[in-house]
């Protein structure tokens, strides 16, 4: 029998083992991370599962079924430094509980193979690149870039990987793990305020938003703050400031779109000079590729308009982008049913943050995620929290979804 209270108890156990007064400390490739993974292995050992690490350092626990076709449930035990007690590990421990239930129900031989995966370094806390293990597995990891990544202490990613037995040049061989994958499920805390504001415990995740991330540089003229009349200025910050407000107008045209100017740098950046150069970053996200492209174009047009108004010039350079990843339509349907049966209500929402599920989906595996409410919408912080009754509901909902997914996989054979 499924025992969601056990999941909550195990989450607390993990917190005590790998957290301190500042929060969770399971940063990937550290000793605490290894300790967390060893603890997870111990939990899994009570089940008749085969456990191994793939070439990217992802850990797979496999309960072999009558069919090779497999249902995957994923999460990540790594955290950011001073992280929360639920991010990533709720998914895994819920998965462990569901493995227990399935093992018990089918006497160790479920109709399809069921696998739990602990993705390596989802957070990218040390090298600044998230979704390491899942992007290696999906084949989307940029190896050329990965070879050049360096942590704060000057340690190169390939060398850090070597110390935990991973050869960067071979990480994409982990892709063979997806060979018989028929569906991938992931439960995650929402990490935002939407469900709490709506008074709902659970949400169906439609997909992960696409991202357009750019550096925008306005060029004006450095000039003395005392001697330069207001109408003679070419103030690069003034143009950037207008854009900072305009991106909110651009985003608000669309229900779930977001635009953020997260960084502003002024040069020379002293009190006595008009800003001659201003560098800002713009991060735009939406689940709809067309809307994302429109917002990008509108922001570009606005930046040129404001540059003209302030007698400045502007240039754009792309930092990073990723296309939206909509999840599988039929699994969305099953997820909605599972949530309705568990909590009576359903809300469909996109995910702003990226998740491992997006990588699995990009690899062509039918994928869906569900969110459980986050209190105050806060995550990546020691105060990250979710009501225990909601945590238990989320385990029950994921379990229902797992059963529906197994039936769905069987129907395809
Ligand atoms: Zn996470």
């Amino acid at each position: 029998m499924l025992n969601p209270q056990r999941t909550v108890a195990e989450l607390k156990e993990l917190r005590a083992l790998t957290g301190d007064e500042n929060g969770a400390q399971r940063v990937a490739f550290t000793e605490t991370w290894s300790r967390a993974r060893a603890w997870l292995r111990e939990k899994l050992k009570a089940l008749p599962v085969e456990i191994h690490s793939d070439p990217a350092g992802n850990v797979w626990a496999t309960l072999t079924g009558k069919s090779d076709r497999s249902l995957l449930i994923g999460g990540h035990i790594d955290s950011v430094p001073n992280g929360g007690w639920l991010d990533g590990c709720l998914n895994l421990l819920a998965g462990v509980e569901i493995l227990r239930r399935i093992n018990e129900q089918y006497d160790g031989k479920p109709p399809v193979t069921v696998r739990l995966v602990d993705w390596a370094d989802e957070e990218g806390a040390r090298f600044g690149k998230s979704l390491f293990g899942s992007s290696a597995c999906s084949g989307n990891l940029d190896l050329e870039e990965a070879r050049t990544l360096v942590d704060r202490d000057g340690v190169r990613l390939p060398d850090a990987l070597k110390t935990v037995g991973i050869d960067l040049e071979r990480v994409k061989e982990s892709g063979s793990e997806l060979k018989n994958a028929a569906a991938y499920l992931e439960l995650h805390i929402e990490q935002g305020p939407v469900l709490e504001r709506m008074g709902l415990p659970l949400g169906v995740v439609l997909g992960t938003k696409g991202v357009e991330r750019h550096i925008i540089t306005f060029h004006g003229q450095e000039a003395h703050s005392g001697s330069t009349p207001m109408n003679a200025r070419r103030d690069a910050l003034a143009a950037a400031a207008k854009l900072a407000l305009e991106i909110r107008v651009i985003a608000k045209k669309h229900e779930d779109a977001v635009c953020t100017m997260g960084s502003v740098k002024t040069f020379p950046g002293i009190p006595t000079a008009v800003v001659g150069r201003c560098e800002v970053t713009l991060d735009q996200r939406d689940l709809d590729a067309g809307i994302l492209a429109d917002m990008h174009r509108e922001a570009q047009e606005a930046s040129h308009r404001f540059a003209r108004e302030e007698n400045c010039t502007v240039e754009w350079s792309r930092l990073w982008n990723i296309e939206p990843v909509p999840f599988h339509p039929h699994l969305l349907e099953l997820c909605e049913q599972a949530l309705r049966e568990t909590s009576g209500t359903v809300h469909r929402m996109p995910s702003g943050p990226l998740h491992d599920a997006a990588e699995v989906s990009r690899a062509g595996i039918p994928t869906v995620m569900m969110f459980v409410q986050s209190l105050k919408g806060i995550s990546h912080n020691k105060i990250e929290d979710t009501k225990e009754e909601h945590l238990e509901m989320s385990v029950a909902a994921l379990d229902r979804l797992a059963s529906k997914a197994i039936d769905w996989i069987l129907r395809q054979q």
Side-chain angles (χ1 to χ4, degrees):
M1 253 238 312
L2 190 80
N3 182 355
Q5 288 99 324
R6 177 160 51 187
T7 305
V8 175
E10 288 177 337
L11 283 164
K12 290 177 180 171
E13 206 182 309
L14 181 65
R15 176 170 63 183
L17 185 74
T18 58
D20 60 23
E21 68 281 5
N22 297 314
Q25 305 298 345
R26 299 182 299 272
V27 177
F29 314 125
T30 62
E31 192 267 325
T32 309
W33 180 61
S34 303
R35 198 180 332 135
R37 286 189 135 187
W39 174 86
L40 181 67
R41 256 176 208 260
E42 281 306 310
K43 296 280 168 201
L44 286 163
K45 268 189 191 157
L47 289 162
V49 292
E50 180 272 330
I51 306 172
H52 71 264
S53 241
D54 72 20
N58 305 309
V59 172
W60 297 83
T62 303
L63 179 64
T64 303
K66 290 182 185 129
S67 161
D68 285 341
R69 303 268 290 152
S70 47
L71 171 67
L72 311 184
I73 301 173
H76 60 94
I77 212 158
D78 75 304
S79 73
V80 295
N82 305 326
W85 71 299
L86 302 169
D87 182 357
C89 50
L90 166 63
N91 349 359
L92 277 179
L93 290 168
V96 172
E97 189 57 32
I98 290 162
L99 273 179
R100 290 180 183 127
R101 190 274 296 169
I102 291 174
N103 176 59
E104 188 183 304
Q105 178 177 347
Y106 295 104
D107 225 356
K109 200 76 182 170
V112 305
T113 296
V114 186
R115 308 183 72 196
L116 183 71
V117 52
D118 171 20
W119 300 109
D121 196 13
E122 191 271 351
E123 300 286 3
R126 184 166 161 196
F127 292 94
K129 194 81 203 161
S130 51
L131 311 180
F132 172 78
S134 55
S135 67
C137 190
S138 73
N140 289 312
L141 178 76
D142 183 344
L143 267 182
E144 216 163 297
E145 181 195 44
R147 288 184 196 112
T148 65
L149 295 176
V150 176
D151 76 1
R152 212 173 286 173
D153 303 317
V155 180
R156 293 166 59 245
L157 174 65
D159 297 330
L161 290 176
K162 223 173 273 170
T163 64
V164 288
I166 300 170
D167 176 358
L168 177 63
E169 299 307 317
R170 291 189 47 217
V171 294
K172 289 194 179 180
E173 291 171 23
S174 60
S176 64
E177 299 286 347
L178 298 179
K179 200 174 119 214
N180 291 313
Y184 176 85
L185 312 178
E186 189 171 324
L187 158 68
H188 207 283
I189 51 167
E190 183 200 338
Q191 304 177 290
V194 175
L195 290 171
E196 187 182 39
R197 283 190 182 171
M198 297 181 81
L200 297 175
L202 302 166
V204 179
V205 185
L206 293 166
T208 59
K209 292 178 181 177
V211 182
E212 282 285 354
R213 192 175 296 162
H214 295 258
I215 294 181
I216 307 163
T217 308
F218 290 92
H219 297 277
Q221 178 66 56
E222 281 176 34
H224 194 288
S225 68
S227 60
T228 315
M230 295 310 288
N231 62 8
R233 296 183 176 206
R234 298 176 58 207
D235 186 340
L237 175 61
K242 287 180 172 178
L243 184 63
L245 297 179
E246 185 66 16
I247 58 165
R248 310 195 310 173
V249 178
I250 292 170
K252 279 178 187 162
K253 291 179 194 165
H254 312 285
E255 197 185 345
D256 292 312
V258 286
C259 295
T260 306
M261 190 177 283
S263 163
V264 179
K265 289 183 197 154
T266 59
F267 302 90
I270 55 169
T272 53
V274 174
V275 173
R277 177 160 59 99
C278 184
E279 261 181 40
V280 302
T281 59
L282 179 60
D283 178 290
Q284 300 180 289
R285 303 184 186 218
D286 196 77
L287 185 60
D288 183 298
I291 289 175
L292 188 59
D294 283 350
M295 293 203 303
H296 175 49
R297 186 180 39 75
E298 284 177 59
Q300 275 184 316
E301 285 168 4
S303 74
H304 286 285
R305 189 166 75 244
F306 299 139
R308 271 197 308 277
E309 287 174 10
E310 300 299 328
N311 278 313
C312 295
T313 57
V314 65
E315 57 182 345
W316 285 60
S317 80
R318 180 175 269 153
L319 270 178
W320 183 69
N321 74 323
I322 187 169
E323 72 271 26
V325 181
F327 291 144
H328 191 272
H330 191 69
L331 286 178
L332 284 172
E333 211 48 58
L334 297 182
C335 188
E336 182 161 336
Q337 287 171 19
L339 264 54
R340 209 183 287 280
E341 289 164 19
T342 308
S343 66
T345 53
V346 175
H347 178 59
R348 288 177 165 231
M349 61 195 294
S351 171
L354 286 160
H355 289 286
D356 294 309
E359 286 300 332
V360 182
S361 182
R362 289 172 86 197
I365 312 300
T367 294
V368 75
M369 283 186 82
M370 65 173 71
F371 277 160
V372 61
Q373 186 192 104
S374 287
L375 289 172
K376 300 191 173 67
I378 291 182
S379 182
H380 284 190
N381 187 301
K382 67 172 176 181
I383 67 168
E384 168 188 291
D385 206 3
T386 294
K387 284 183 194 146
E388 287 189 17
E389 57 177 292
H390 290 170
L391 291 174
E392 290 170 16
M393 260 186 192
S394 73
V395 179
L398 185 67
D399 185 57
R400 281 202 170 92
L401 176 58
S403 293
K404 292 176 193 296
I406 288 173
D407 290 344
W408 179 62
I409 294 167
L410 286 171
R411 284 203 301 277
Q412 293 166 24
Q413 287 180 332

